Amino acid sequence: MCMENLRKRKVEQAFIEHYGNQPIIWVQAPGRVDLMGSHTDYNEGFVLTEAIERNTWIAARPRQDAVVRVSSQNIEGGAEFSLAVISYDEVSPWSNYIRGVAHILQIEGYSLNGFDGLIHSTIPFRSGLSSSAALEVATAMLFKTLGDLDISKLDIAIYCQRAENEFVGMECGILDQYSSAMGKEGNVLLLDCRSTTSEVVPLAPGLMVMICDTKAERELTGSEYSERRADCEKGAKALQTAFPEIKTLRDVTIDQFEAQRNNLSEVVAKRSQFVIEENQRVIDMATALEVGNFQAIGSLAKASFIGARDLYEISSPEMEAMMAAMSSAPGVIGARQAGAGFGGCMVAIIDGQKTVEFSKYVIEQYQQVTGIMAEVYQASASSGAGVLKF
Ligand code: GLA
């Protein structure tokens, strides 16, 4: 039996045990990994991103009342709420991604159907692969399917980002939700976060994307993410006084930045420099990946990591150990951080013939230095969210 059927059987079994009946609708939404463009999304910049094969499923059955009942095979606890009164859940915080999406869709005037749902995810939590966005996007896809709602996938991405910003309280950009909703099988996307449009970037033949999970949990409960975001806003605002056409750091050229650098505080200058340079690296990386310019892929990825470590300060000792392991591994072409940083997963672009040697080497080297058993796997670009048909 193939993995997908086995997974389906297990989830179906658990659903019947939990709710006493068969699920009749199945939806999925994938995680994502970024190949270039850390923290550029909330600066209205560019990101190279792909949806990955690891995803979140919701098996569901519509209800006749306006109640949502959910439980998860990955996390303890469940939640039940009425669509008429949606409040923040302190007991099962993961259910806030579902509540938040319902809340925003209702504000937008959609009439929602209640359901019993069971969640099953293969995306590791807090590893920087967007497990929360996948849950949000799967939830929106489920409401769309249950109520036959006229919502585009782009709207799903935008509403899910709002759910996270306005209901969950995390000021993320559009990257995660866009990738999960709009991913394209076999293709990397060059996402423009200002216009929320993307172009497909075909990877040169023979390249493989590898995810290298440091297994050092990303702890973004602190204020690091919002501090970075606020510093970028300060940078853009200060630069605006000299160049009124600037709206966000996306609009700033490196020459403009250099001319004004001394008018920025040291921290704001470092953060701004990283974002301005990273944005340019996204554009350059798109070309390098398409034409298979290995030298450029390697140097752009390395510069991205150095900037993330020294200017944006989102690295960690485990990430440095992983970077060293990836960079010296057989078959490596380029290696860098992924997601928000502060631990979690990193990403490498390698020679597709060397996946086994690469993985073995990285795991061994990383373990020698950190004592931690990393996980390394291929990340083929997958389709965005959809209804599962068996
Ligand atoms: C997190 C956020 C995204 C993005 C990345 C960093 O994943 O959710 O919006 O800012 O960090 O690029």
Side-chain angles (χ1 to χ4, degrees), residues 32 34 37-42 130 170 172-176 218 225 339-340:
R32 65 95 192 90
D34 51 296
S38 295
H39 295 262
T40 47
D41 65 345
Y42 50 81
S130 297
M170 157 76 177
C172 64
I174 190 73
L175 167 64
D176 306 348
R218 218 170 43 105
Y225 188 90

Side-chain angles (χ1 to χ4, degrees), residues 53-310:
E53 278 164 348
R54 299 213 170 196
N55 61 16
T56 295
W57 285 8
I58 308 179
R61 204 178 162 86
R63 293 174 60 98
Q64 298 315 314
D65 52 12
V67 167
V68 169
R69 284 199 296 175
V70 277
S71 62
S72 162
Q73 289 200 283
N74 306 90
I75 306 190
E76 288 294 303
E80 176 170 341
F81 62 94
S82 160
L83 288 165
V85 203
I86 304 180
S87 50
Y88 191 88
D89 185 355
E90 305 280 354
V91 183
S92 296
W94 59 265
S95 83
N96 291 315
Y97 298 112
I98 296 166
R99 292 166 190 263
V101 170
H103 174 70
I104 296 292
L105 290 177
Q106 293 194 129
I107 289 181
E108 287 300 314
Y110 292 102
S111 160
L112 304 185
N113 207 111
F115 65 87
D116 287 338
L118 181 62
I119 298 153
H120 181 260
S121 187
T122 55
I123 311 169
F125 298 148
R126 273 182 291 188
S127 67
L129 298 178
S130 297
S131 57
S132 15
L135 180 54
E136 290 157 359
V137 172
T139 301
M141 190 50 74
L142 180 58
F143 279 126
K144 172 183 162 76
T145 313
L146 286 169
D148 197 18
L149 307 178
D150 183 18
I151 317 179
S152 69
K153 283 197 179 183
L154 177 59
D155 284 342
I156 285 185
I158 292 168
Y159 296 147
C160 288
Q161 183 203 8
R162 276 185 56 199
E164 185 132 358
N165 293 168
E166 294 170 28
F167 193 87
V168 178
M170 157 76 177
E171 277 294 303
C172 64
I174 190 73
L175 167 64
D176 306 348
Q177 293 79 7
Y178 187 97
S179 312
S180 184
M182 306 286 284
K184 295 248 183 312
E185 190 171 353
N187 285 296
V188 173
L189 299 178
L190 171 57
L191 166 63
D192 179 338
C193 300
R194 172 169 279 166
S195 61
T196 56
T197 55
S198 58
E199 277 170 38
V200 157
V201 178
L203 282 195
L207 297 183
M208 176 60 72
V209 177
M210 301 294 288
I211 290 176
C212 301
D213 190 341
T214 62
K215 294 280 178 177
E217 276 202 0
R218 218 170 43 105
E219 279 303 342
L220 272 179
T221 41
S223 50
E224 304 89 349
Y225 188 90
S226 47
E227 276 166 19
R228 299 294 181 286
R229 195 175 168 143
D231 287 339
C232 291
E233 279 158 20
K234 280 184 205 154
K237 202 154 176 242
L239 290 160
Q240 234 168 39
T241 36
F243 309 103
E245 70 279 12
I246 287 169
K247 292 197 181 69
T248 65
L249 290 182
R250 180 236 175 90
D251 303 310
V252 184
T253 65
I254 201 71
D255 290 344
Q256 288 175 323
F257 168 75
E258 290 300 350
Q260 289 298 315
R261 174 180 207 121
N262 293 339
N263 294 329
L264 307 176
S265 76
E266 197 195 324
V267 168
V268 169
K270 284 204 287 187
R271 308 295 189 247
S272 304
Q273 183 185 343
F274 172 73
V275 169
I276 296 161
E277 291 176 346
E278 182 81 346
N279 227 9
Q280 185 58 46
R281 283 191 285 264
V282 177
I283 306 295
D284 298 342
M285 184 64 122
T287 311
L289 288 174
E290 194 168 344
V291 302
N293 181 343
F294 290 7
Q295 205 256 324
I297 295 171
S299 56
L300 289 164
K302 188 172 177 196
S304 177
F305 179 73
I306 292 172
R309 186 190 62 196
D310 301 344

